[in-house]
Amino acid sequence: MKHLCIVLILFSMHFVVFGQTRYVMVIHGGAGTILKKNMSPEQEKAFHETLTQALQAGYAQLQAGKSSVDAVEAAILIMEDSPLFNAGKGAVFTHEGKNELDASIMSGANCMAGAVAGVTTIRNPIRAARAVMEQSEHVMLTGKGAETFAESKGLDMVTPEYFWTEGRWKALQRVLKQDSINMQLDHDGNQQSNKTPLDKDYKYGTVGAVALDKAGNLAAGTSTGGMTNKRYGRVGDAPIIGAGTFANDRVGISCTGWGEFFIRGIAAYDVAAQMEYAQTPLAESAANVIEKIGKTGGDGGMIALDRDGNIAMPFNTAGMYRGAITESGEVEIGIYQ
Amino acid sequence: MKHLCIVLILFSMHFVVFGQTRYVMVIHGGAGTILKKNMSPEQEKAFHETLTQALQAGYAQLQAGKSSVDAVEAAILIMEDSPLFNAGKGAVFTHEGKNELDASIMSGANCMAGAVAGVTTIRNPIRAARAVMEQSEHVMLTGKGAETFAESKGLDMVTPEYFWTEGRWKALQRVLKQDSINMQLDHDGNQQSNKTPLDKDYKYGTVGAVALDKAGNLAAGTSTGGMTNKRYGRVGDAPIIGAGTFANDRVGISCTGWGEFFIRGIAAYDVAAQMEYAQTPLAESAANVIEKIGKTGGDGGMIALDRDGNIAMPFNTAGMYRGAITESGEVEIGIYQ
């Protein structure tokens, strides 16, 4: 918690010296054990560039007078199409060696929302989530049904092989090897079967964006490949409205982290609830949620942007890929604490 | 809203005259266009009896010193095994003529939770939700994966035919016929394909329970077959922690209604959030949520029980199957407004 506070204070100080900085977009590319010592300058540069590109794609939409939903989609598309992040093209593998993707989006202007879970053939799950929000009566579609829907809406469909990347495949093999060692060590095979080890490096990869458009409307979106080695059609917080994603007329939030803790904590909505019912300021509301998750043994982070252009990006992991862009187009990128 | 208030006031008055009635369990069997004129005395009696049986099954657990989780499971099992309710044996049919079931449970003692969505071969989805909560690291499992998990935990598996009931099948045929008429009337076939008519009578069938055990711990659970004629792997609020189900150390909530509105409103958790952050009393918090849902065009209801044994059962539909049992075993059943 001490670290979290210091990070928040530094962040606040940093921005406050420039006066009333008004942000229009904030993004994340996942939180986890992201340490400088494990990152090559080339890798760092690649993350920096892609995060900047995502922010600029969203910003271009906002500058053109498009909606915050357009901006969120544009930013997430860049990250989904990059193999760097655990979403879209860079999704991690399930226990069975598949890629099952989840995404959600919410428009603060009308509190409409859309989500897809467990999809394997939709190139950009964030587009499918948006189609559910705008072109169906539903909020959440799952599995094959969601794919049929996405195809009927003309979305770009791919074969499951599209999501294969060498790095993620190797990560699964490492975890499966560890799994088999643990199996041999564990005498209670039945219990063990649900306690599959998870690759810490890839556990928390998720991408998300929150934007504020010229009309003053907020939107938030989240997209993920879930956890390496996940089983049993496991769904995390990313496609759950209120847990991974939330937006209303006051604040937008996207989370990344150990999904189970974010679901149980109703993490995204809990920021909005504190702001509405207890008049707690944005940064404090967001920090409270991450602190609560930390206390129960979970970790991760979130990004939040309010209607006045204030941002918060608390996390209790070693790092979180993140960035924000101001009204005047200035880009800020962060990776480590 | 006026109706809702009157119902709430009558409810409060009714109970207050008996002094500080302390409830230990509250259940619902779905909300919707439930009108006395459409109900035969035999049907009414059947609902009355099954709701009473469910309350007594939960109460027996509590009396035996078992946990609120045990009580919630026991009550929901009765309703899942009855063809009267849209959950388990009485689940409605999807557009494709299948039964896809969802359920969730949350323990207020430790804020752990479990859920399954889109399962077709698990006799009692509430048991599967509990197994996810207690015997996995996850919160939400979906589809075939959830079934594999449930089977590995020794749960009672059935063939999909187990869920076939004549009444629900006829309801689907009625809706499909209407669907085909609408298709012919609608010139924009593409748009139409996502706007399938829903059978009002069966739209909101869901069962749920909230219990308070002797140790002072709350738990809540919800189980449903979803909407008649649902498509595309649609998931409603029932398996979504925070939307259909929530419990903490202060209050437990289970919802029933037009799921999309309850997801977008984070309905169940919103009751707890108002109580925690704004010190709003239980009945008012619950009424506020249903009012908000009504204002956005949604309908349904919820049951809530707090740690002091107070209950609230607001709904904005014609009726809601509901019941509560006091510490001393007195049963109260309600169907209409």
Side-chain angles (χ1 to χ4, degrees):
Chain A
M1 187 54 205
K2 198 189 267 178
H3 276 176
L4 180 63
C5 287
I6 292 168
V7 169
L8 283 172
I9 291 163
L10 285 176
F11 237 112
S12 314
M13 284 173 61
H14 179 63
F15 295 135
V16 165
V17 289
F18 295 106
Q20 293 291 327
T21 306
R22 190 180 148 94
Y23 291 87
V24 291
M25 182 146 206
V26 55
I27 61 172
H28 70 77
T33 45
I34 306 160
L35 297 166
K36 198 166 176 66
K37 64 174 185 183
N38 299 333
M39 186 90 75
S40 71
E42 293 72 33
Q43 282 176 310
E44 202 173 279
K45 189 165 166 271
F47 278 109
H48 215 280
E49 280 174 3
T50 312
L51 289 167
T52 303
Q53 206 189 331
L55 281 169
Q56 284 169 344
Y59 186 74
Q61 295 289 317
L62 298 174
Q63 286 298 97
K66 299 283 184 66
S67 74
S68 50
V69 171
D70 289 319
V72 163
E73 181 185 326
I76 291 180
L77 277 178
I78 300 285
M79 295 187 280
E80 280 185 344
D81 284 347
S82 161
L84 290 174
F85 304 100
N86 175 16
K89 177 67 187 163
V92 298
F93 284 91
T94 67
H95 185 72
E96 289 79 16
K98 294 204 264 178
N99 307 96
E100 289 177 0
L101 306 135
D102 308 324
S104 65
I105 195 163
M106 188 160 186
S107 163
N110 53 13
C111 285
M112 294 298 280
V116 292
V119 297
T120 60
T121 58
I122 302 171
R123 176 172 164 165
N124 293 107
I126 194 68
R127 279 210 166 126
R130 183 176 181 171
V132 173
M133 174 171 78
E134 295 178 345
Q135 300 179 63
S136 88
E137 292 178 299
H138 302 307
V139 171
M140 190 173 194
L141 301 182
T142 61
K144 293 267 168 257
E147 292 168 1
T148 305
F149 172 81
E151 195 162 11
S152 80
K153 295 300 163 195
L155 295 198
D156 200 358
M157 305 303 286
V158 293
T159 58
E161 293 71 39
Y162 166 80
F163 298 105
W164 194 95
T165 56
E166 197 181 355
R168 302 304 193 197
W169 183 252
K170 283 184 177 164
L172 175 66
Q173 303 317 312
R174 274 201 305 276
V175 178
L176 288 176
K177 198 175 162 190
Q178 190 57 42
D179 203 358
S180 132
I181 293 166
N182 287 354
M183 282 280 200
Q184 290 159 29
L185 290 173
D186 183 10
H187 296 282
D188 185 356
N190 203 29
Q191 279 287 338
Q192 174 59 28
S193 65
N194 302 309
K195 303 225 164 169
T196 49
L198 303 155
D199 189 326
K200 271 273 178 191
D201 291 340
Y202 295 113
K203 192 171 177 180
Y204 306 134
T206 292
V207 306
V210 188
L212 173 63
D213 61 30
K214 288 186 173 175
N217 292 319
L218 291 152
T222 311
S223 180
T224 191
M227 285 182 168
T228 296
N229 199 29
K230 69 182 178 183
R231 294 179 78 171
Y232 305 122
R234 176 259 185 189
V235 168
D237 62 318
I240 308 287
I241 298 301
T245 302
F246 184 76
N248 61 14
D249 59 356
R250 191 162 179 172
V251 63
I253 302 106
S254 169
C255 300
T256 170
W258 193 339
E260 278 70 13
F261 289 86
F262 283 74
I263 296 177
R264 293 189 288 251
I266 330 289
Y269 179 63
D270 199 32
V271 175
Q274 290 177 70
M275 291 175 72
E276 184 170 349
Y277 300 131
Q279 283 73 51
T280 310
L282 173 75
E284 197 184 329
S285 299
N288 286 344
V289 173
I290 297 301
E291 190 189 343
K292 230 192 276 181
I293 282 169
K295 275 185 184 160
T296 55
D299 53 7
M302 59 165 57
I303 53 168
L305 169 64
D306 74 13
R307 63 184 169 200
D308 300 318
N310 300 305
I311 58 169
M313 312 200 261
F315 56 97
N316 64 0
T317 46
M320 178 167 84
Y321 300 109
R322 61 202 186 276
I325 190 162
T326 67
E327 211 168 11
S328 60
E330 275 175 84
V331 169
E332 310 262 356
I333 302 289
I335 296 181
Y336 316 107
Q337 273 202 344
Chain B
M1 185 54 208
K2 198 189 267 179
H3 277 174
L4 180 63
C5 286
I6 292 166
V7 169
L8 282 171
I9 290 162
L10 286 176
F11 237 111
S12 314
M13 283 172 62
H14 179 61
F15 294 135
V16 165
V17 290
F18 295 105
Q20 292 292 326
T21 307
R22 190 180 149 96
Y23 290 88
V24 291
M25 184 146 202
V26 54
I27 62 171
H28 69 78
T33 46
I34 306 160
L35 295 166
K36 200 168 174 64
K37 64 173 186 186
N38 298 333
M39 186 90 75
S40 71
E42 292 73 30
Q43 282 176 311
E44 202 174 279
K45 189 165 166 269
F47 278 108
H48 217 281
E49 279 175 4
T50 312
L51 289 167
T52 302
Q53 205 189 329
L55 280 169
Q56 284 168 343
Y59 186 74
Q61 295 288 318
L62 298 173
Q63 286 298 98
K66 298 285 184 69
S67 74
S68 49
V69 171
D70 290 318
V72 163
E73 181 185 325
I76 291 181
L77 278 178
I78 299 285
M79 294 187 281
E80 280 184 344
D81 284 346
S82 160
L84 289 176
F85 304 100
N86 175 16
K89 178 68 188 163
V92 299
F93 284 92
T94 67
H95 184 72
E96 289 80 16
K98 294 203 264 181
N99 307 95
E100 290 177 358
L101 307 138
D102 308 324
S104 65
I105 194 163
M106 189 161 185
S107 162
N110 53 14
C111 284
M112 294 298 280
V116 292
V119 297
T120 60
T121 58
I122 302 171
R123 177 173 162 165
N124 292 107
I126 194 67
R127 281 211 164 126
R130 183 177 182 172
V132 173
M133 173 170 80
E134 294 178 344
Q135 300 179 62
S136 88
E137 293 180 295
H138 302 306
V139 172
M140 189 173 194
L141 301 183
T142 60
K144 292 268 167 257
E147 293 168 0
T148 305
F149 171 80
E151 195 162 10
S152 80
K153 295 300 162 196
L155 296 197
D156 199 1
M157 306 302 287
V158 292
T159 58
E161 293 72 39
Y162 165 80
F163 298 105
W164 194 95
T165 57
E166 197 181 356
R168 302 304 193 195
W169 183 253
K170 283 184 178 164
L172 175 67
Q173 303 316 313
R174 275 202 304 278
V175 177
L176 288 176
K177 198 175 162 192
Q178 190 57 41
D179 203 359
S180 129
I181 293 165
N182 286 354
M183 281 283 201
Q184 290 159 29
L185 291 173
D186 183 9
H187 297 281
D188 184 357
N190 203 29
Q191 279 288 338
Q192 175 57 28
S193 64
N194 302 307
K195 303 223 165 171
T196 47
L198 302 156
D199 188 326
K200 270 275 179 188
D201 291 339
Y202 295 112
K203 192 171 177 179
Y204 307 133
T206 292
V207 307
V210 187
L212 172 62
D213 62 30
K214 288 186 174 176
N217 292 319
L218 291 153
T222 310
S223 180
T224 191
M227 285 181 168
T228 296
N229 198 29
K230 68 182 177 183
R231 295 179 77 171
Y232 306 122
R234 177 259 186 188
V235 168
D237 63 318
I240 308 284
I241 298 301
T245 302
F246 184 77
N248 61 15
D249 60 355
R250 192 163 180 171
V251 63
I253 303 106
S254 169
C255 301
T256 170
W258 193 339
E260 279 71 13
F261 289 86
F262 283 73
I263 295 178
R264 292 190 289 251
I266 331 288
Y269 178 64
D270 200 32
V271 175
Q274 290 176 71
M275 291 175 72
E276 184 170 347
Y277 300 131
Q279 283 74 51
T280 310
L282 174 75
E284 197 183 328
S285 299
N288 286 343
V289 173
I290 297 301
E291 189 190 343
K292 230 191 276 181
I293 282 168
K295 275 185 184 162
T296 55
D299 54 7
M302 59 165 59
I303 53 168
L305 170 65
D306 73 13
R307 62 183 171 200
D308 300 318
N310 300 306
I311 58 169
M313 313 200 262
F315 57 96
N316 65 0
T317 46
M320 177 168 83
Y321 300 109
R322 61 199 185 277
I325 190 162
T326 68
E327 212 168 12
S328 60
E330 277 175 81
V331 168
E332 311 261 356
I333 302 288
I335 296 182
Y336 316 107
Q337 273 201 342

